[in-house]
């Protein structure tokens, strides 16, 4: 993609595919650890993308504070999730032990603090023998750990898949399903086995979300490879059970404004979990505006709960659509090339009446009623995200 060259300025794209409005969503029976959880994709923050192992009580409290003061909470962000490295050992009775230097007050006190802000606390473990950073895993401690988390007031657990040689993810994650169900506390269950053994097939009856790929990083190439590869998985997602293309990198500095807009718009169209992964304490106004863009978030969180799909593509030009509860559609016009590109959409051919109303969601602009076709310029690596309604 990076070296792609064509006579871009002159390309006119005519959409030739009919929008399939009622994308079939598998009505997969509940059965997740707490079927009432994650009715819309989870929103929150996670420590890993920015901080790696550098987690602490202080950091998590400061992040919780800024989730509230920045307006992120009001925008829908709710979970504050500690990723790998909070744990150091097991006590003689097998109870998992938090790093006492980094979490001197213990996890329960931290949960109480996060709850006092009206937020929820998430934690991380691994279904194998060790976490990816070689901390104790939960293998053969599934029930004990679920009980411990519940006693601390944990609301969300991400369960990784390192050091799981010889284990079957379907068997191991089902154990956690049962363990969390018996823990006495509603806990969102995030399966993180990077797509091994197609978790979209068994994830819906096991957890609330499941990673579909290996890790994201803060580059356009990686983000776009992951995001645009999600097509076809939409039938496995729905309220309570979501595909997870990994956490957001918005604001971490490796992508430019248009690339982060693509990241956010694509994740919203994918009905992906929106877990910010940047340092919220120091984010720029531009980052905050994008992360809290109410019209984009509304697409992600739409009550219909349908994951969008690719409607059309021609090489690096892609159009994705997500049907929304009010009968309108969110449409993303994506340009994966390295030059800005003019796109024309022919309303007749995409199944909307010639008088469809368009709204630009990223820039909050009514574009009026379009007549027959719509022309726009999509920046390199960028997106134009629209709401199309009758
Ligand atoms: C990976 C996981 C990442 C992060 C990391 C921590 O396996 O995909 O999201 O949790 O482990 O070590």
């Amino acid at each position: 993609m990076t070296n792609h060259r064509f006579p871009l300025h002159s390309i006119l794209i005519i959409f030739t595919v009919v929008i399939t409005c009622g994308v079939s969503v598998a009505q997969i029976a509940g059965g997740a650890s707490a079927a009432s959880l994650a009715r819309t994709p989870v929103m929150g923050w996670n420590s890993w993308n920015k901080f790696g192992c550098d987690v602490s009580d202080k950091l998590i409290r400061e992040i919780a504070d800024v989730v509230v003061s920045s307006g992120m909470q009001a925008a829908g962000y709710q979970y504050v999730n500690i990723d790998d490295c909070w744990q150091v050992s097991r006590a003689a009775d097998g109870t998992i032990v938090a790093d006492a230097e980094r979490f001197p007050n213990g996890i329960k006190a931290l949960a109480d603090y996060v709850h006092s802000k009206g937020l929820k606390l998430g934690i991380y473990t691994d279904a194998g023998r060790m976490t990816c950073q070689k901390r104790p895993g939960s293998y053969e401690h599934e029930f004990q750990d679920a009980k411990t988390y519940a006693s601390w007031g944990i609301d969300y657990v991400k369960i990784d898949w390192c050091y799981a040689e010889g284990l079957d993810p379907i068997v191991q994650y089902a154990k956690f399903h049962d363990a969390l169900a018996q823990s006495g506390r509603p806990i969102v269950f995030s399966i993180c086995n990077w797509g091994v053994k197609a978790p979209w097939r068994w994830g819906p009856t096991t957890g609330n979300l499941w990673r579909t790929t290996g890790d994201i990083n803060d580059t356009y190439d990686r983000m776009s490879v992951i995001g645009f590869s999600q097509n076809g998985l939409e039938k496995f997602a729905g309220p309570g059970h979501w595909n997870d293309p990994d956490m957001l990198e918005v604001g971490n500095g490796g992508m430019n404004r248009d690339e982060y807009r693509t990241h956010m718009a694509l994740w919203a169209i994918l009905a992906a979990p929106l877990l910010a992964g940047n340092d919220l304490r120091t984010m720029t106004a531009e980052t905050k505006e994008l992360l809290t863009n109410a019209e984009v978030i509304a697409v992600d969180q739409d009550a219909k709960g349908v994951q969008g799909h690719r409607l059309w593509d021609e090489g690096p030009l892609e159009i994705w659509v997500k049907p929304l509860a009010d009968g309108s559609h969110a449409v993303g016009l994506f340009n994966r090339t390295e030059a800005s590109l003019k796109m024309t959409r022919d309303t007749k051919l995409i199944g909307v009446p010639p008088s469809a109303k368009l709204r630009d969601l990223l820039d909050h602009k009514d574009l009026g009623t379009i007549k027959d076709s719509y022309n726009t310029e999509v920046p390199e690596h960028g997106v134009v995200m629209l709401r199309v309604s009758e």
Side-chain angles (χ1 to χ4, degrees):
M1 202 65 57
T2 36
N3 293 320
H4 201 94
R5 288 282 177 272
F6 0 142
L8 297 171
H9 294 287
S10 57
I11 293 177
L12 285 186
I13 304 302
I14 308 291
F15 293 27
T16 54
V17 191
V18 175
I19 286 185
T20 49
C21 296
V23 171
S24 63
V25 176
Q27 292 304 319
I28 297 155
S33 56
S36 60
L37 296 170
R39 301 309 294 169
T40 60
V42 293
M43 291 179 67
W45 176 89
N46 174 291
S47 55
W48 182 254
N49 283 352
K50 174 70 185 176
F51 296 96
C53 273
D54 195 10
V55 289
S56 65
D57 178 277
K58 182 172 181 289
L59 172 71
I60 300 301
R61 284 175 194 246
E62 288 178 9
I63 292 291
D65 291 347
V66 71
V67 169
V68 177
S69 64
S70 65
M72 298 269 297
Q73 181 183 39
Y77 294 86
Q78 194 184 13
Y79 293 93
V80 176
N81 294 349
I82 315 169
D83 208 276
D84 207 346
C85 302
W86 63 270
Q87 65 284 69
V88 283
S89 59
R90 289 195 179 273
D93 69 355
T95 304
I96 191 73
V97 176
D99 183 330
E101 271 173 38
R102 287 177 171 266
F103 295 89
N105 308 306
I107 304 294
K108 168 124 184 41
L110 182 54
D112 290 345
Y113 182 79
V114 170
H115 292 157
S116 77
K117 298 268 158 184
L119 298 170
K120 295 181 181 299
L121 185 66
I123 214 163
Y124 161 101
T125 188
D126 190 289
R129 299 161 186 95
M130 285 190 290
T131 74
C132 298
Q133 305 305 315
K134 303 200 170 157
R135 306 305 173 95
S138 286
Y139 179 58
E140 292 183 332
H141 291 274
E142 295 85 0
F143 287 81
Q144 183 176 30
D145 285 354
K147 276 213 167 60
T148 303
Y149 303 153
S151 76
W152 287 342
I154 293 294
D155 306 294
Y156 183 119
V157 185
K158 168 178 169 181
I159 303 181
D160 216 335
W161 191 239
C162 278
Y163 300 99
E165 293 73 18
L167 302 178
D168 180 347
I170 301 176
V171 173
Q172 297 308 317
Y173 284 103
K175 274 191 210 167
F176 276 109
H177 164 90
D178 295 346
L180 293 170
Q182 290 170 30
S183 73
R185 187 173 173 86
I187 297 177
V188 170
F189 179 8
S190 160
I191 296 167
C192 176
N193 81 328
W194 326 301
V196 176
K197 275 209 170 178
W200 41 89
R201 299 204 171 276
W202 44 271
T205 51
T206 305
N208 298 110
L209 59 155
W210 51 89
R211 280 274 299 281
T212 56
T213 68
D215 288 11
I216 197 168
N217 63 37
D218 189 18
T219 63
Y220 176 77
D221 280 354
R222 184 64 185 149
M223 178 279 291
S224 60
V225 161
I226 290 178
F228 291 112
S229 73
Q230 301 300 299
N231 194 48
L233 295 181
E234 62 277 359
K235 57 181 171 290
F236 302 103
H241 49 274
W242 307 100
N243 290 301
D244 175 7
D246 209 352
M247 304 171 291
L248 297 171
E249 292 282 6
V250 174
N252 278 334
M255 290 182 246
N256 67 31
R257 176 173 182 266
D258 285 318
E259 293 168 338
Y260 282 138
R261 278 158 63 102
T262 292
H263 188 6
M264 193 74 187
L266 183 53
W267 261 235
I269 287 172
L270 291 171
L274 297 180
L275 293 169
N278 58 316
D279 188 346
L280 304 179
R281 300 168 302 182
T282 56
M283 68 181 156
T284 62
E286 183 179 298
T287 295
K288 183 164 85 175
E289 198 188 317
L290 182 56
L291 284 173
T292 59
N293 185 316
E295 295 192 69
V296 174
I297 289 173
V299 169
D300 182 78
Q301 297 289 301
D302 183 75
K304 194 174 177 87
V306 174
Q307 176 176 330
H309 67 283
R310 182 161 48 222
L311 175 68
W312 174 94
D313 69 314
E314 191 169 283
L317 310 175
E318 304 200 7
I319 295 158
W320 288 63
V321 63
K322 179 183 197 291
L324 303 173
D326 67 356
S328 67
H329 293 82
V331 176
L333 313 181
F334 294 97
N335 172 7
R336 300 177 67 180
T337 72
E338 292 175 346
S340 76
L341 175 64
K342 197 169 174 192
M343 293 174 97
T344 298
R345 64 184 279 279
D346 182 327
T347 54
K348 275 182 291 200
L349 296 175
I350 62 165
V352 296
S355 62
K357 277 189 291 180
L358 294 193
R359 182 164 170 85
D360 182 324
L361 300 182
L362 279 160
D363 291 328
H364 312 298
K365 277 191 297 205
D366 274 330
L367 303 175
T369 302
I370 47 161
K371 273 225 161 277
D372 300 324
S373 72
Y374 165 66
N375 298 292
T376 191
E377 189 91 6
V378 186
E380 68 173 282
H381 290 180
V383 60
V384 170
M385 187 181 186
L386 303 169
R387 189 168 188 132
V388 181
S389 51
E390 290 187 22

